[in-house]
Amino acid sequence: MTRAFLQLAAMIAVFFGLWFGLSQIDWVGILRIESGKEATEEKLGDLLWDTFKQQDEELRSSEVTSRLDSLIQFVCKENNIDAKEIKLHVLQNDDVNAVTLPDHHLVVYSGLIKASDSEAELVGVICHEIAHMQKNHVMKKLVKEIGLSALIGMTSGGNTGRIIKLISSSAYDRELETEADLTAADYMLKADLDPEALANFLYKLSSDDVPSQVYWVSTHPESKERAKAIIEYIEGKDITKNQILSADSWKSLKAAASEN
Amino acid sequence: MSTPFPNEPGEHEAERASNSYLMSLVAHIVGLPLPIVNLVATLIFFLGNRNGTYFTRWHCTQALLSQASLLFVNSYGFWWTIGIIFRDNTVTNEYIAYMITVFLINVAEVIATMYAAIVTRKGKHVELWFYGDITNAICKP
Ligand SMILES: [Zn+2]
């Protein structure tokens, strides 16, 4: 019987040895298997963007899009983020809002551009959304709330209403928001921009005399506290208040966004 | 590894012993997608030969044991695959490595079973590595 035990041990060792040894090879890379998660994210992003596109007119004027592109590219370059991944869309809608969808779709509402009193305020919100993207907050939240299998089900033509609600109404957890705010502040510091502008923007929009269309703030609750947290975070740090666009270019951007 | 039994097995005994390996081989291949099939099939054959001669019983037991151990390994792979298809959809290096390991073990099992079927058909005794000892321990004349 001792021999049988030794043989059993040897068999188990061979089994796990073989398994472990073979695991060291990057089969997924070699076979170029696209992970199901990536495929799902891509499909979801397209599906959700389709839904957004149906609700509002897309603003295609290069006066707006190429300038927003410049802002995004500048921030991304300074922070080693691949700007080509980001799919920017501008919608003609007076809501002060910007939304990050799965698979790097960034939807900016023209109302946000109009409501920004300075370039840094607009860039601050964009940085916040890019932070959501880079930290994969959208998929994390959707997987947590809906579950990956249900998400995969929705990609084959399901009802996107629930996802839209999750993405655009109650927004993210407080924790993820704070992370996005502080990451946005880091992006801006690295790009020699003024993160205080993001705090100002939050503070300004959370005051009572702004119209109810301020969605970005209502979807991002506790704006005053968030503004304070940003101010505390950047306190004592070296801040350079550079501009990306020329003053004229910024004015044209605002004017083009207000045209409709 | 051949050890002579007390008396030479007759033609009929040899055929039944050999058939238990063939049966397990067929069940193994048929049951690959759903591993429980091969165990159930071999188990039925085993029960049918419960009252056979020592030689027949011995080889039925060995065939059953070698099937049973594969059951765990194959089932794990089966449910892992089901999980990937219906749940997280993520193929990992560990999964592919596991499936290759399982494939190699199954090939080895098929070869060993075929060898045992041929040798027992000739009326000769054969003890498989590890399984022979276990069979000796549980299968008494
Ligand atoms: Zn946010």
Side-chain angles (χ1 to χ4, degrees), chain A residues 138-176:
Chain A
V138 189
M139 285 307 281
K140 266 187 206 161
K141 180 177 169 70
L142 290 179
V143 168
K144 192 178 141 203
E145 300 282 338
I146 301 182
L148 190 58
S149 57
L151 283 177
I152 292 165
M154 283 176 191
T155 56
S156 50
N159 184 4
T160 53
R162 197 167 154 220
I163 309 181
I164 302 262
K165 226 176 168 181
L166 276 173
I167 290 182
S168 50
S169 72
S170 56
Y172 304 97
D173 311 340
R174 183 71 200 278
E175 213 178 300
L176 297 185

Side-chain angles (χ1 to χ4, degrees), chain B residues 55-127:
Chain B
F55 185 80
T56 315
R57 276 189 293 122
W58 197 98
H59 284 283
C60 260
T61 308
Q62 181 166 259
L64 181 74
L65 286 176
S66 62
Q67 280 296 313
S69 58
L70 269 191
L71 176 79
F72 297 107
V73 171
N74 287 2
S75 295
Y76 192 70
F78 174 75
W79 290 111
W80 197 344
T81 307
I82 293 293
I84 286 173
I85 293 171
F86 292 101
R87 234 185 16 252
D88 59 1
N89 234 334
T90 323
V91 173
T92 57
N93 292 332
E94 285 72 28
Y95 169 75
I96 295 174
Y98 186 85
M99 291 321 255
I100 294 171
T101 307
V102 166
F103 173 76
L104 293 175
I105 288 175
N106 276 275
V107 168
E109 165 76 16
V110 166
I111 291 169
T113 307
M114 272 162 67
Y115 172 72
I118 293 165
V119 174
T120 47
R121 187 66 190 80
K122 289 176 187 155
K124 276 189 229 152
H125 178 63
V126 59
E127 290 188 8

Side-chain angles (χ1 to χ4, degrees), chain A residues 3-4 7 15 19 27-28 36, chain B residues 89 91 93-94 97 105 130 133:
Chain A
R3 191 176 67 169
Q7 287 177 338
F15 175 78
W19 182 12
W27 300 104
V28 173
Chain B
N89 234 334
V91 173
N93 292 332
E94 285 72 28
I105 288 175
F130 174 67
D133 281 3

Side-chain angles (χ1 to χ4, degrees), chain B residues 24-65:
Chain B
S24 107
L25 198 64
V26 170
H28 183 175
I29 290 158
V30 172
L32 265 184
L34 201 60
I36 193 77
V37 170
N38 59 23
L39 186 73
V40 169
T42 314
L43 192 66
I44 289 168
F45 197 78
F46 172 77
L47 293 174
N49 283 295
R50 227 175 358 178
N51 302 320
T53 63
Y54 180 40
F55 185 80
T56 315
R57 276 189 293 122
W58 197 98
H59 284 283
C60 260
T61 308
Q62 181 166 259
L64 181 74
L65 286 176

